[in-house]
mmCIF file of all heavy atoms in Angstrom:
data_model
loop_
_atom_site.group_PDB
_atom_site.id
_atom_site.type_symbol
_atom_site.label_atom_id
_atom_site.label_comp_id
_atom_site.label_asym_id
_atom_site.label_seq_id
_atom_site.Cartn_x
_atom_site.Cartn_y
_atom_site.Cartn_z
ATOM 1 N N GLY A 24 15.318 13.440 35.283
ATOM 2 C CA GLY A 24 16.457 12.592 35.585
ATOM 3 C C GLY A 24 16.525 11.303 34.803
ATOM 4 O O GLY A 24 17.427 10.484 35.021
ATOM 5 N N GLU A 25 15.601 11.092 33.859
ATOM 6 C CA GLU A 25 15.622 9.867 33.054
ATOM 7 C C GLU A 25 16.745 9.937 32.026
ATOM 8 O O GLU A 25 16.820 10.880 31.235
ATOM 9 C CB GLU A 25 14.283 9.683 32.342
ATOM 10 C CG GLU A 25 14.241 8.467 31.429
ATOM 11 C CD GLU A 25 12.987 8.432 30.564
ATOM 12 O OE1 GLU A 25 12.095 9.292 30.764
ATOM 13 O OE2 GLU A 25 12.917 7.567 29.668
ATOM 14 N N LYS A 26 17.603 8.941 32.013
ATOM 15 C CA LYS A 26 18.738 8.913 31.088
ATOM 16 C C LYS A 26 18.255 8.711 29.658
ATOM 17 O O LYS A 26 17.386 7.878 29.394
ATOM 18 C CB LYS A 26 19.699 7.789 31.486
ATOM 19 C CG LYS A 26 20.984 7.734 30.676
ATOM 20 C CD LYS A 26 21.886 6.626 31.185
ATOM 21 C CE LYS A 26 23.166 6.534 30.381
ATOM 22 N NZ LYS A 26 24.050 5.428 30.871
ATOM 23 N N ILE A 27 18.804 9.483 28.721
ATOM 24 C CA ILE A 27 18.432 9.388 27.312
ATOM 25 C C ILE A 27 19.554 8.660 26.582
ATOM 26 O O ILE A 27 20.668 9.181 26.439
ATOM 27 C CB ILE A 27 18.208 10.780 26.701
ATOM 28 C CG1 ILE A 27 17.123 11.527 27.474
ATOM 29 C CG2 ILE A 27 17.834 10.670 25.227
ATOM 30 C CD1 ILE A 27 16.949 12.966 27.039
ATOM 31 N N ASP A 28 19.247 7.440 26.103
ATOM 32 C CA ASP A 28 20.287 6.596 25.512
ATOM 33 C C ASP A 28 20.953 7.247 24.301
ATOM 34 O O ASP A 28 22.170 7.155 24.119
ATOM 35 C CB ASP A 28 19.692 5.242 25.108
ATOM 36 C CG ASP A 28 19.278 4.408 26.316
ATOM 37 O OD1 ASP A 28 19.823 4.670 27.409
ATOM 38 O OD2 ASP A 28 18.420 3.525 26.153
ATOM 39 N N GLU A 29 20.141 7.881 23.432
ATOM 40 C CA GLU A 29 20.719 8.459 22.220
ATOM 41 C C GLU A 29 21.498 9.741 22.482
ATOM 42 O O GLU A 29 22.081 10.320 21.566
ATOM 43 C CB GLU A 29 19.619 8.716 21.179
ATOM 44 C CG GLU A 29 18.542 9.683 21.622
ATOM 45 C CD GLU A 29 17.329 8.973 22.203
ATOM 46 O OE1 GLU A 29 17.511 7.920 22.849
ATOM 47 O OE2 GLU A 29 16.211 9.472 22.019
ATOM 48 N N ALA A 30 21.532 10.195 23.731
ATOM 49 C CA ALA A 30 22.265 11.425 24.062
ATOM 50 C C ALA A 30 23.475 11.115 24.933
ATOM 51 O O ALA A 30 23.858 11.908 25.797
ATOM 52 C CB ALA A 30 21.340 12.426 24.758
ATOM 53 N N GLN A 31 24.084 9.935 24.725
ATOM 54 C CA GLN A 31 25.277 9.533 25.465
ATOM 55 C C GLN A 31 26.449 9.418 24.494
ATOM 56 O O GLN A 31 26.304 8.855 23.407
ATOM 57 C CB GLN A 31 25.063 8.189 26.167
ATOM 58 C CG GLN A 31 23.764 8.065 26.937
ATOM 59 C CD GLN A 31 23.681 9.034 28.103
ATOM 60 O OE1 GLN A 31 24.660 9.202 28.839
ATOM 61 N NE2 GLN A 31 22.533 9.671 28.262
ATOM 62 N N ALA A 32 27.602 9.953 24.827
ATOM 63 C CA ALA A 32 28.791 9.849 23.976
ATOM 64 C C ALA A 32 30.034 9.995 24.838
ATOM 65 O O ALA A 32 30.040 10.769 25.815
ATOM 66 C CB ALA A 32 28.770 10.910 22.886
ATOM 67 N N THR A 33 31.074 9.242 24.479
ATOM 68 C CA THR A 33 32.343 9.338 25.205
ATOM 69 C C THR A 33 33.477 9.516 24.215
ATOM 70 O O THR A 33 33.417 9.044 23.075
ATOM 71 C CB THR A 33 32.602 8.066 26.048
ATOM 72 O OG1 THR A 33 32.613 6.916 25.185
ATOM 73 C CG2 THR A 33 31.520 7.883 27.103
ATOM 74 N N GLY A 34 34.534 10.191 24.662
ATOM 75 C CA GLY A 34 35.738 10.359 23.852
ATOM 76 C C GLY A 34 35.558 11.231 22.632
ATOM 77 O O GLY A 34 36.313 11.092 21.659
ATOM 78 N N LEU A 35 34.581 12.146 22.652
ATOM 79 C CA LEU A 35 34.368 13.030 21.509
ATOM 80 C C LEU A 35 35.489 14.058 21.409
ATOM 81 O O LEU A 35 35.993 14.551 22.414
ATOM 82 C CB LEU A 35 33.032 13.768 21.633
ATOM 83 C CG LEU A 35 31.743 12.965 21.424
ATOM 84 C CD1 LEU A 35 30.544 13.862 21.695
ATOM 85 C CD2 LEU A 35 31.689 12.426 20.005
ATOM 86 N N THR A 36 35.873 14.388 20.162
ATOM 87 C CA THR A 36 36.788 15.505 19.929
ATOM 88 C C THR A 36 35.955 16.694 19.466
ATOM 89 O O THR A 36 35.174 16.574 18.515
ATOM 90 C CB THR A 36 37.838 15.161 18.864
ATOM 91 O OG1 THR A 36 38.638 14.065 19.329
ATOM 92 C CG2 THR A 36 38.739 16.358 18.576
ATOM 93 N N TYR A 37 36.130 17.825 20.142
ATOM 94 C CA TYR A 37 35.298 18.987 19.840
ATOM 95 C C TYR A 37 36.167 20.243 19.828
ATOM 96 O O TYR A 37 37.016 20.445 20.704
ATOM 97 C CB TYR A 37 34.182 19.136 20.881
ATOM 98 C CG TYR A 37 33.243 20.273 20.589
ATOM 99 C CD1 TYR A 37 32.328 20.197 19.543
ATOM 100 C CD2 TYR A 37 33.295 21.447 21.337
ATOM 101 C CE1 TYR A 37 31.463 21.244 19.257
ATOM 102 C CE2 TYR A 37 32.439 22.502 21.061
ATOM 103 C CZ TYR A 37 31.522 22.399 20.019
ATOM 104 O OH TYR A 37 30.690 23.441 19.732
ATOM 105 N N VAL A 38 35.925 21.088 18.795
ATOM 106 C CA VAL A 38 36.644 22.362 18.693
ATOM 107 C C VAL A 38 35.780 23.447 19.317
ATOM 108 O O VAL A 38 34.636 23.675 18.891
ATOM 109 C CB VAL A 38 36.953 22.718 17.231
ATOM 110 C CG1 VAL A 38 37.736 24.032 17.156
ATOM 111 C CG2 VAL A 38 37.727 21.600 16.560
ATOM 112 N N VAL A 39 36.302 24.112 20.325
ATOM 113 C CA VAL A 39 35.544 25.159 21.008
ATOM 114 C C VAL A 39 35.203 26.278 20.028
ATOM 115 O O VAL A 39 36.080 26.801 19.336
ATOM 116 C CB VAL A 39 36.336 25.719 22.205
ATOM 117 C CG1 VAL A 39 35.517 26.798 22.923
ATOM 118 C CG2 VAL A 39 36.720 24.609 23.166
ATOM 119 N N GLY A 40 33.922 26.617 19.961
ATOM 120 C CA GLY A 40 33.474 27.673 19.063
ATOM 121 C C GLY A 40 32.962 27.178 17.728
ATOM 122 O O GLY A 40 32.480 27.972 16.911
ATOM 123 N N SER A 41 33.022 25.866 17.481
ATOM 124 C CA SER A 41 32.601 25.343 16.181
ATOM 125 C C SER A 41 31.087 25.217 16.048
ATOM 126 O O SER A 41 30.562 25.140 14.932
ATOM 127 C CB SER A 41 33.245 23.977 15.930
ATOM 128 O OG SER A 41 32.808 23.030 16.898
ATOM 129 N N LYS A 42 30.386 25.168 17.184
ATOM 130 C CA LYS A 42 28.902 25.083 17.177
ATOM 131 C C LYS A 42 28.396 23.900 16.357
ATOM 132 O O LYS A 42 27.388 24.007 15.652
ATOM 133 C CB LYS A 42 28.285 26.381 16.646
ATOM 134 C CG LYS A 42 28.674 27.622 17.432
ATOM 135 C CD LYS A 42 27.961 28.858 16.913
ATOM 136 C CE LYS A 42 28.432 30.123 17.601
ATOM 137 N NZ LYS A 42 28.201 30.093 19.055
ATOM 138 N N THR A 43 29.080 22.753 16.434
ATOM 139 C CA THR A 43 28.698 21.596 15.611
ATOM 140 C C THR A 43 27.940 20.527 16.385
ATOM 141 O O THR A 43 27.472 19.566 15.782
ATOM 142 C CB THR A 43 29.947 20.946 14.992
ATOM 143 O OG1 THR A 43 30.881 20.625 16.043
ATOM 144 C CG2 THR A 43 30.606 21.877 13.996
ATOM 145 N N LEU A 44 27.798 20.678 17.707
ATOM 146 C CA LEU A 44 27.030 19.697 18.477
ATOM 147 C C LEU A 44 25.759 20.359 19.021
ATOM 148 O O LEU A 44 25.014 20.940 18.251
ATOM 149 C CB LEU A 44 27.903 19.109 19.595
ATOM 150 C CG LEU A 44 29.012 18.154 19.117
ATOM 151 C CD1 LEU A 44 29.862 17.687 20.277
ATOM 152 C CD2 LEU A 44 28.415 16.946 18.392
ATOM 153 N N VAL A 45 25.514 20.263 20.295
ATOM 154 C CA VAL A 45 24.266 20.782 20.849
ATOM 155 C C VAL A 45 24.397 22.263 21.213
ATOM 156 O O VAL A 45 25.488 22.763 21.519
ATOM 157 C CB VAL A 45 23.845 19.980 22.104
ATOM 158 C CG1 VAL A 45 23.501 18.566 21.720
ATOM 159 C CG2 VAL A 45 24.946 20.015 23.155
ATOM 160 N N GLU A 46 23.280 22.951 21.186
ATOM 161 C CA GLU A 46 23.255 24.375 21.528
ATOM 162 C C GLU A 46 23.638 24.565 22.993
ATOM 163 O O GLU A 46 23.200 23.833 23.877
ATOM 164 C CB GLU A 46 21.849 24.924 21.277
ATOM 165 C CG GLU A 46 21.726 26.411 21.523
ATOM 166 C CD GLU A 46 20.324 26.923 21.236
ATOM 167 O OE1 GLU A 46 19.499 26.141 20.711
ATOM 168 O OE2 GLU A 46 20.047 28.095 21.548
ATOM 169 N N GLY A 47 24.504 25.541 23.224
ATOM 170 C CA GLY A 47 24.923 25.849 24.582
ATOM 171 C C GLY A 47 26.213 25.179 25.001
ATOM 172 O O GLY A 47 26.770 25.510 26.066
ATOM 173 N N LEU A 48 26.717 24.242 24.177
ATOM 174 C CA LEU A 48 27.931 23.520 24.558
ATOM 175 C C LEU A 48 29.142 24.445 24.592
ATOM 176 O O LEU A 48 29.981 24.342 25.499
ATOM 177 C CB LEU A 48 28.172 22.360 23.595
ATOM 178 C CG LEU A 48 29.430 21.518 23.838
ATOM 179 C CD1 LEU A 48 29.393 20.887 25.226
ATOM 180 C CD2 LEU A 48 29.587 20.430 22.773
ATOM 181 N N ASP A 49 29.245 25.355 23.610
ATOM 182 C CA ASP A 49 30.410 26.251 23.578
ATOM 183 C C ASP A 49 30.493 27.109 24.827
ATOM 184 O O ASP A 49 31.570 27.281 25.417
ATOM 185 C CB ASP A 49 30.357 27.122 22.322
ATOM 186 C CG ASP A 49 30.661 26.338 21.062
ATOM 187 O OD1 ASP A 49 31.752 25.760 20.975
ATOM 188 O OD2 ASP A 49 29.806 26.284 20.165
ATOM 189 N N ASP A 50 29.352 27.657 25.234
ATOM 190 C CA ASP A 50 29.349 28.487 26.455
ATOM 191 C C ASP A 50 29.714 27.656 27.675
ATOM 192 O O ASP A 50 30.412 28.140 28.589
ATOM 193 C CB ASP A 50 27.964 29.115 26.652
ATOM 194 C CG ASP A 50 27.648 30.161 25.599
ATOM 195 O OD1 ASP A 50 28.603 30.710 25.006
ATOM 196 O OD2 ASP A 50 26.452 30.411 25.341
#
């Protein structure tokens, strides 16, 4: 449950199926 500062983001634009961020996000 410890918050990871470098893994915080808001307002991202993401294309479903692009696989350009973290693994498992598309699913």
Side-chain angles (χ1 to χ4, degrees):
E25 177 189 354
K26 185 178 179 181
I27 302 173
D28 292 338
E29 61 265 34
Q31 313 296 317
T33 58
L35 288 176
T36 298
Y37 183 72
V38 182
V39 181
S41 63
K42 302 184 185 300
T43 55
L44 288 177
V45 294
E46 183 179 352
L48 179 60
D49 288 301
D50 291 337

